[in-house]
Amino acid sequence: MSEQSFRPEFHITGQMGWINDPNGLIKFKDEYHLFFQYYSSNVYWGPMHWGHVKSRDLLNWERLPVALFPDEQDDGCFSGTAAVWKDKLWLMYTSYKENGGGENIRQLQALASSEDGVHFVKHGIVIGEKDLPEEYSPCDFRDPKVFVEGDTVYCLVAARKKDGRGRILLFSSADMFKWRFEFDLFGKDSGGIMIECPDYNGGLGLLTYCEQFQPAQGNKHLNIHSTFYRLGTLDCKGRSHTFGESEIIDYGFDFYAAQIYRDTPVMIGWLNMWDRNVPYSKYGFAGMLTVPRKLSIKDGRLWQEPLYKGRKAVTYNNLKVSDRAVSGVIEIEAENLKRLDLKLRIGNGAQTLVTIDKEELTFDRSSSGAPITGKETDALSVAGVRKMPVDKSDKHVITVVLDLYSVEIFIGGRALSSVICPDISADGITLVADAGSCVYTRYDVSGYMGIDK
Ligand code: FRU
């Protein structure tokens, strides 16, 4: 087997080495650009660059040269976002400076721009220490979300009170270069020690962000680092907002730092998690991005549906199915469903289990293949299990996006995404449904979505 065949079939990875957060999701001159935190020299986190890919349809991606590099100004180019302003593509990112570590670390917001969407010129730090109110720490000040409203450019930045926990701050500018602090969105400490990667989509009325090291509450957020959303609107001029309660975006083990295209309601997240081993890194790469998810707000909550295009490979109208595939998209339509047992990537003693019983989906990766461990200590995490609520319905549609090292499950607008690491040859699939009827269809998506490797 060539090295390429060990790569995910259609999930975005770095050409080699490590990737984490998606960055700078933006449509520029009719093309969707996507950047990501990238360290090509090894399969673990290191001095951060911005890797870069683009697409016309959000399904097929083309690699572009690395957009941002560390240099004398930045020891690392941390996460950030993009905006189109005066016909140019602008990137706002966090300039990370080590300065010997500890209290001397500086995380400040820097700017780069491009005329062609491929070559970027750095303009230096534009939201510096002097722009940050005294009570917030310049050591934990990162992940700018830049967006344009009328004549004004706004920027949300994750921050931490010197004597407290995570916050989100709003800044404004008339020219991208001079910034003014507007207000602290939270006004009180969040549950997380630090907030990361805030994103705001005015069209959807959606604020998303991550909280670090927050104690778990029931099944709500079992990952030590979790990604949340809140519905409402941000009135930048009025320095106020109407955001409701926080809800979890994804119920799986591996979903973080998501961003949304501003004018196209599509979200992409990091399909991995901090503080976990990455068994597939033995193949020379670590970290993947989720497939794009179409977003809408339905019944007062966030709906996510995977974006994909494929060729029907098999269809069975049966309560019992056995199939073979290591990747693709499986759609199951079940009427009057009482229980469903789906086993994926069966082979060489391994299997990944998805069960729907009553109003709950259980995902079990305890025997999925190479063990994946994290810092979570609660019983479910240690058992390799995650759960997701399933609404009562006469008809359920379950979509499973399967790739060499990942499973993303969608049902009733909710999502559960996790890494798995079975042998590449483990391709068995079985389905047993206790239902009125059940139609199983598998789509082959290779050739319809992917990235040149
Ligand atoms: C989130 C994060 C960001 C930071 C980046 C560094 O995963 O920790 O807060 O900018 O990763 O790579």
Side-chain angles (χ1 to χ4, degrees):
M1 260 185 183
S2 73
E3 204 200 314
Q4 281 197 357
S5 54
F6 292 100
R7 287 302 183 111
E9 184 79 34
F10 52 89
H11 284 79
I12 293 174
T13 62
Q15 202 157 22
M16 53 189 151
W18 167 273
I19 74 167
N20 53 284
D21 315 356
N23 291 156
L25 273 65
I26 192 87
K27 193 172 186 185
F28 179 60
K29 296 186 177 159
D30 292 329
E31 290 178 314
Y32 293 98
H33 288 259
L34 167 61
F35 305 82
F36 47 84
Q37 292 283 280
Y38 188 33
Y39 180 53
S40 62
S41 308
N42 227 316
V43 288
Y44 42 75
W45 190 87
M48 281 290 112
H49 299 56
W50 277 38
H52 190 187
V53 294
K54 70 172 182 180
S55 170
R56 286 205 169 264
D57 58 5
L58 291 166
L59 299 173
N60 296 285
W61 297 90
E62 178 193 335
R63 258 185 220 293
L64 293 173
V66 168
L68 298 178
F69 299 81
D71 54 15
E72 56 291 339
Q73 176 197 289
D74 311 313
D75 293 340
C77 302
F78 277 18
S79 282
T81 54
V84 179
W85 166 258
K86 300 198 190 299
D87 293 332
K88 283 194 192 174
L89 177 56
W90 299 84
L91 306 181
M92 280 278 275
Y93 67 97
T94 299
S95 163
Y96 173 82
K97 267 285 196 201
E98 181 82 25
N99 290 335
E103 290 295 302
N104 293 324
I105 287 176
R106 285 295 171 272
Q107 300 184 349
L108 303 168
Q109 316 323 314
L111 191 64
S113 70
S114 169
E115 307 262 353
D116 63 1
V118 179
H119 305 93
F120 290 84
V121 179
K122 283 187 179 178
H123 300 293
I125 288 165
V126 291
I127 308 183
E129 220 170 318
K130 64 171 183 11
D131 304 305
L132 180 67
E134 175 64 23
E135 63 268 33
Y136 301 93
S137 167
C139 314
D140 268 326
F141 179 46
R142 58 182 180 268
D143 307 342
K145 162 67 188 178
V146 63
F147 57 99
V148 180
E149 275 188 9
D151 290 342
T152 311
V153 195
Y154 291 99
C155 190
L156 295 169
V157 191
R160 185 175 56 76
K161 272 282 189 98
K162 278 182 182 154
D163 55 358
R165 303 170 81 90
R167 303 291 181 103
I168 298 177
L169 309 182
L170 181 73
F171 292 81
S172 70
S173 170
D175 62 5
M176 281 278 182
F177 286 86
K178 286 189 293 305
W179 290 86
R180 187 178 77 178
F181 171 69
E182 294 287 346
F183 82 116
D184 179 332
L185 260 68
F186 284 14
K188 62 178 175 75
D189 277 346
S190 66
I193 287 178
M194 179 58 188
I195 298 272
E196 296 192 312
C197 303
D199 197 353
Y200 172 63
N201 189 286
L204 289 165
L206 182 69
L207 176 74
T208 59
Y209 55 92
C210 308
E211 293 196 29
Q212 292 191 289
F213 303 106
Q214 187 179 22
Q217 288 164 14
N219 284 346
K220 192 173 164 193
H221 50 86
L222 293 171
N223 294 332
I224 289 185
H225 310 281
S226 288
T227 306
F228 297 97
Y229 76 88
R230 289 167 72 175
L231 299 182
T233 47
L234 173 60
D235 177 0
C236 296
K237 281 205 165 50
R239 297 183 174 173
S240 65
H241 66 77
T242 60
F243 296 120
E245 279 298 296
S246 67
E247 298 291 340
I248 198 90
I249 297 183
D250 189 291
Y251 290 80
F253 281 100
D254 303 291
F255 181 87
Y256 201 67
Q259 279 193 19
I260 301 160
Y261 284 97
R262 189 153 173 86
D263 300 317
T264 312
V266 167
M267 176 171 71
I268 295 177
W270 179 35
L271 182 41
N272 268 90
M273 181 50 64
W274 292 115
D275 300 321
R276 299 260 160 77
N277 61 322
V278 186
Y280 62 77
S281 66
K282 63 184 178 194
Y283 300 123
F285 73 101
M288 304 175 275
L289 301 183
T290 67
V291 289
R293 299 171 178 195
K294 278 185 275 179
L295 302 184
S296 55
I297 309 298
K298 253 196 217 174
D299 303 334
R301 68 176 169 85
L302 180 65
W303 270 75
Q304 307 170 58
E305 293 165 277
L307 197 69
Y308 68 90
K309 209 171 152 211
R311 180 177 49 83
K312 251 186 208 176
V314 294
T315 302
Y316 299 105
N317 189 342
N318 220 335
L319 297 181
K320 276 193 177 180
V321 171
S322 116
D323 188 16
R324 286 191 177 283
V326 292
S327 67
V329 177
I330 299 164
E331 250 185 42
I332 301 165
E333 283 187 27
E335 281 180 347
N336 300 322
L337 181 68
K338 291 203 193 72
R339 186 184 163 100
L340 180 138
D341 285 281
L342 176 67
K343 296 184 181 171
L344 301 163
R345 302 295 304 274
I346 307 168
N348 217 359
Q351 56 184 7
T352 299
L353 309 175
V354 182
T355 310
I356 301 178
D357 193 13
K358 304 202 173 67
E359 275 89 64
E360 194 165 62
L361 180 144
T362 303
F363 171 83
D364 180 346
R365 71 171 180 190
S366 59
S367 51
S368 284
I372 303 169
T373 52
K375 281 203 173 141
E376 290 82 3
T377 52
D378 62 281
L380 280 182
S381 300
V382 171
V385 170
R386 283 285 181 265
K387 289 172 182 284
M388 172 163 80
V390 175
D391 289 339
K392 266 203 173 105
S393 174
D394 294 343
K395 184 175 171 187
H396 285 103
V397 179
I398 303 133
T399 309
V400 180
V401 179
L402 183 67
D403 207 340
L404 258 62
Y405 313 106
S406 58
V407 183
E408 291 155 275
I409 305 163
F410 297 82
I411 178 166
R414 297 193 179 90
L416 185 154
S417 307
S418 291
V419 171
I420 53 169
C421 216
D423 281 357
I424 283 165
S425 60
D427 64 353
I429 299 174
T430 62
L431 168 71
V432 178
D434 181 356
S437 69
C438 183
V439 181
Y440 169 105
T441 308
R442 178 167 52 78
Y443 295 86
D444 180 355
V445 299
S446 59
Y448 291 88
M449 51 199 284
I451 181 157
D452 50 335
K453 293 167 200 147

